[in-house]
């Protein structure tokens, strides 16, 4: 494969080896409820044209746009804005479609096989060429003039056929391995979901009620624990003014719990400290232009993964931090995302963070010391909680929870000793999941590196 397969390899500019090189619409027609498809860069993936999640445009607009690009079977599609360099060959029998500006249409000349061009555009040398010549600020792209100057190696059609056949044979095996690895990742995700569900439904470890019966002893139930927390909360109240009872939860849709468990709202489980539940500053108090290279941290939505803290960095000055002291968050606190995917997505703040505040849409939650933070983290990120919360979500496009709605979220609370056992078992299983995920990710990276090495060798003229 590669130069050794043929004594004659020409290097030409892309414009010289295609009969058509155009991009899609720069001003997409208005979306319609019904109509014909207009695809974008997100519809070009894994060498395929994907007919999902696209806009519909009117028939008259479609005729106009499709006439300009004239997409036919055998054309090569190339993403040129945003994620540059994904390719696909338009297959036979595909339904007619038009394109947005983010995709270019290339019609190979008679002496250039579409799949040979498609694979070559994915090669490391060409991808580096695109990266070096991309322009733009908010979203980078490659102009058609620059695209036309892309160097393309061109052996004989027979050699192209041999190379395509060999690439498809090797990539078929590689793609099968990658698909298997992705199935493992999907299964791990489902297993993680199952572990958290079992944890908050009393099926992960023996319940305290079961053990107490077996051992002939009494135990403090979840209801008694909650009563103790509420009494201590009133006694230890450190806020200003008269003590205000915590927000209760709506019990209308709550299911039955294991023996010895109880329901409690997030507000009921909060520490008696001032601002134990608080959101970040809004408006001009904290903007992206306030961020610095170092200093106290700002905890943003980017830091909150499903149950895990992600180290995305943003800093402010010490002076700015002092002005926003009431929004502080500390190691061991929970931070809850009030906006975005999978509400109430949450994670625990690690000790490595240091002095920090929460940003808008991030809720600081400091639980009472009588409740396990790790258990609450599992309860916030489990599917049963998310299903219950779904009914109170609002907002168009991105789901949102208000601070009051977060305070009222109901969580299932087991006895203290059972919380500890659940916490330990969840940690043990999550450690195994992370270990396998790490190995899978390593192998996926190896597969991608092997793919790139194979392409590099194939097109080394």
């Amino acid at each position: 494969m590669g130069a050794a397969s043929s004594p004659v390899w020409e290097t030409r500019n892309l414009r010289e080896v295609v009969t058509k090189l155009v991009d899609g619409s720069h001003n997409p027609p208005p979306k319609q409820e019904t109509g014909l498809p207009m695809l974008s860069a997100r519809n070009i993936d894994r060498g395929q044209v994907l007919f999902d999640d696209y806009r519909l445009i009117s028939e008259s607009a479609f005729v106009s746009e499709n006439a300009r690009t004239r997409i036919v079977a055998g054309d090569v599609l190339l993403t040129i804005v945003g994620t540059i360099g994904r390719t696909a060959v338009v297959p036979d029998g595909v339904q007619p479609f038009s394109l947005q500006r983010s995709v270019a249409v290339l019609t190979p000349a008679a002496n250039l096989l579409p799949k040979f061009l498609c694979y070559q555009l994915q090669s490391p040398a060409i991808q580096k060429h695109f990266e070096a010549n991309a322009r733009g600020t908010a979203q980078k792209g490659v102009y058609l003039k620059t695209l036309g100057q892309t160097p393309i190696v061109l052996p004989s059609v027979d050699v192209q056929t041999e190379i395509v056949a060999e690439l498809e044979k090797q990539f078929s095996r590689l793609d099968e391995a990658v698909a298997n690895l992705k199935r493992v990742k999907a299964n791990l995700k489902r297993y993680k979901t199952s572990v958290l569900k079992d944890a908050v439904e009393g099926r992960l470890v023996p319940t305290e009620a079961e053990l107490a019966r077996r051992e002939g002893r009494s135990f403090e139930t979840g209801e008694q624990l909650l009563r103790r927390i509420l009494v201590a909360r009133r006694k230890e109240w450190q806020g200003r003014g008269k003590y205000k009872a915590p927000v209760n939860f709506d019990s209308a849709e709550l299911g039955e719990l294991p023996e010895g468990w109880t329901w409690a709202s997030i507000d009921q489980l909060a520490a008696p400290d001032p601002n134990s539940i608080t959101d970040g500053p809004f408006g001009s108090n904290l903007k992206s232009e306030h961020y610095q290279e170092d200093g106290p941290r700002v905890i943003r939505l980017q830091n909150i993964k499903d149950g895990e803290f992600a180290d995305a960095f943003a800093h402010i000055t010490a002076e700015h931090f002092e002005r926003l002291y009431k929004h502080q968050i500390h190691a061991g606190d929970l931070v809850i995302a009030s906006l975005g995917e999978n509400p109430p997505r949450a994670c625990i703040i690690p000790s490595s963070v240091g002095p920090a505040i929460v940003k808008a849409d991030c809720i600081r939650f400091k639980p009472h010391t009588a409740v396990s933070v790790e258990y609450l983290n599992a309860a916030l990120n489990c599917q049963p909680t998310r299903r219950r919360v779904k009914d109170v979500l609002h907002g168009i496009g991105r789901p949102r929870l208000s601070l009051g709605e977060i305070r009222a979220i109901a969580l299932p609370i087991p006895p203290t000793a059972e919380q500890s056992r659940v916490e330990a078992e969840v940690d043990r299983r999550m450690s195994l999941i992370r270990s396998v995920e790490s190995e899978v990710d390593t192998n996926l990276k190896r597969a991608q590196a092997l793919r790139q090495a194979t392409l590099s060798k194939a097109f080394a003229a």
Side-chain angles (χ1 to χ4, degrees), residues 192-209:
K192 179 178 179 180
T193 299
S194 175
V195 168
L196 293 180
K197 185 174 186 293
D198 287 348
V200 300
E201 292 182 348
R203 294 196 297 270
L204 194 65
V205 298
T207 67
E208 189 67 5

Side-chain angles (χ1 to χ4, degrees), residues 61-296:
F62 177 87
V63 169
S64 172
E65 294 297 335
N66 201 43
R68 195 180 77 80
T69 51
R70 299 184 302 280
I71 305 163
V72 298
D75 280 348
V76 173
L77 305 182
L78 171 67
T79 59
I80 57 172
V81 176
T83 305
I84 302 168
R86 295 202 302 269
T87 64
V89 177
V90 179
D92 292 328
V94 72
Q95 63 174 306
F97 61 93
S98 59
L99 292 167
Q100 295 186 39
R101 173 182 172 264
S102 55
V103 184
V105 185
L106 299 81
T107 301
N111 62 341
L112 178 59
L113 297 180
K115 284 190 175 180
F116 185 82
L117 176 60
C118 191
Y119 281 129
Q120 187 170 174
L121 292 172
Q122 297 173 29
S123 68
I126 301 299
Q127 295 286 314
K128 288 178 183 177
H129 174 82
F130 291 153
E131 184 178 341
N133 289 280
R135 297 291 179 267
T137 52
Q139 198 173 40
K140 290 196 172 185
V142 177
Y143 295 110
L144 288 185
K145 181 179 179 181
T146 303
L147 183 61
Q149 297 168 350
T150 303
I152 298 294
V153 294
L154 190 66
S156 69
V157 172
D158 287 343
V159 172
Q160 292 179 45
T161 303
E162 291 176 8
I163 290 175
V164 167
E166 183 62 24
L167 286 173
E168 294 196 333
K169 182 174 75 174
Q170 294 193 30
F171 288 163
S172 176
R173 293 193 293 263
L174 190 60
D175 290 344
E176 183 180 357
V178 167
N180 288 335
L181 289 169
K182 289 182 176 179
R183 276 194 289 272
V184 171
K185 287 199 74 169
N187 289 336
L188 288 170
K189 186 176 181 180
R190 284 192 288 270
Y191 178 60
K192 179 178 179 180
T193 299
S194 175
V195 168
L196 293 180
K197 185 174 186 293
D198 287 348
V200 300
E201 292 182 348
R203 294 196 297 270
L204 194 65
V205 298
T207 67
E208 189 67 5
E210 292 170 354
L211 293 178
R213 268 195 304 273
R214 191 184 308 163
E215 298 165 5
R217 59 173 174 81
S218 62
F219 68 98
E220 182 188 52
T221 66
E223 185 176 358
Q224 291 168 336
L225 169 63
L226 178 59
R227 195 178 305 126
R228 177 162 62 87
I229 290 172
L230 294 177
V231 170
R233 176 189 170 102
R234 178 186 289 271
K235 184 178 179 181
E236 299 164 5
W237 175 247
Q238 299 176 17
R240 294 179 181 178
K242 186 178 178 181
Y243 173 77
K244 185 178 179 181
V247 173
N248 208 332
F249 52 86
D250 182 1
S251 60
E253 299 297 328
L254 299 180
E256 187 176 348
L257 290 174
E259 181 183 356
W261 290 43
T262 194
W263 291 103
S265 71
I266 285 180
D267 206 22
Q268 289 173 325
L269 298 170
D273 308 12
N275 304 313
S276 58
I277 300 178
T278 187
D279 53 3
F282 283 84
S284 59
N285 290 318
L286 182 61
K287 295 183 176 181
S288 56
E289 52 260 39
H290 292 136
Y291 295 158
Q292 307 287 318
E293 289 297 319
D294 53 28

